[in-house]
Amino acid sequence: GQLLATVAVTTTIPSGGGAEVIVDNGGAGTSSTGSWTSTTDRNNKQYGGDYLVAAGGTGSSYRWTPAIAAGSYELFAWWVADRKGTSNVPYTIAHNGTTSAVTGDQTGNSAQWVSLGVYDFNGSGSDYIDVTDANGKAMDDAVRLVEQVDTTPQVSTDVYYVHNDHLGTPQA
């Protein structure tokens, strides 16, 4: 038969998003050393019911130990900013058998998720995030981990040929 047309059909299937875990201060998987004072913000900028403040230089630390599966996660922290606070609050991230140190500017970026980077976690329960008041006044409120997944959509293309059969009837 004679070729009448070529038809290409492309199908795109979007990929799903990754898991998200939020651990608020005082929640399961949290612990502290030193002196942390529970407080609330008059404009309700804290995540959840309260946030914690350490005065600075007291040796206080706060730890979140999230219950997550092994994988790559973007880590975020939430704090209530204080213009008299500390611009380089130290965070230590224990992930996949190593530690990374970053700082957060708690004089700004209030009441929002602030990225602290992307890390590979082993999901064994040994992964954690610490914040300390080693550099001055520090706030601790919540951390959020968002699993990084391949966001490339799956695309498939099927090609169909339309032609006449021996009777002249179009066939695919």
Side-chain angles (χ1 to χ4, degrees), residues 53-143:
V53 179
T58 67
S60 297
S61 66
Y62 197 88
R63 177 170 290 184
W64 297 270
T65 306
I68 55 174
S72 181
Y73 292 81
E74 185 168 8
L75 171 64
F76 298 87
W78 182 288
W79 58 74
V80 176
D82 183 342
R83 60 184 170 82
K84 296 178 184 174
T86 306
S87 63
N88 60 342
V89 173
Y91 286 83
T92 301
I93 298 97
H95 58 99
N96 209 18
T98 190
T99 59
S100 297
V102 298
T103 59
D105 182 358
Q106 292 188 347
T107 64
N109 304 310
S110 190
Q112 61 183 305
W113 292 113
V114 179
S115 178
L116 300 179
V118 176
Y119 304 93
D120 291 326
F121 292 94
N122 62 26
S124 68
S126 63
D127 303 315
Y128 63 83
I129 302 96
D130 273 353
V131 63
T132 72
D133 71 344
N135 294 344
K137 183 178 183 179
M139 273 71 75
D140 107 58
D141 201 348
V143 294

Side-chain angles (χ1 to χ4, degrees), residues 1-2 163-171:
Q2 178 184 7
H163 59 89
N164 289 339
D165 66 7
H166 68 283
L167 299 173
T169 306
Q171 301 290 319

Side-chain angles (χ1 to χ4, degrees), residues 6-9 157-161:
T6 303
V7 178
V9 178
T157 302
D158 296 308
V159 178
Y160 299 94
Y161 299 96

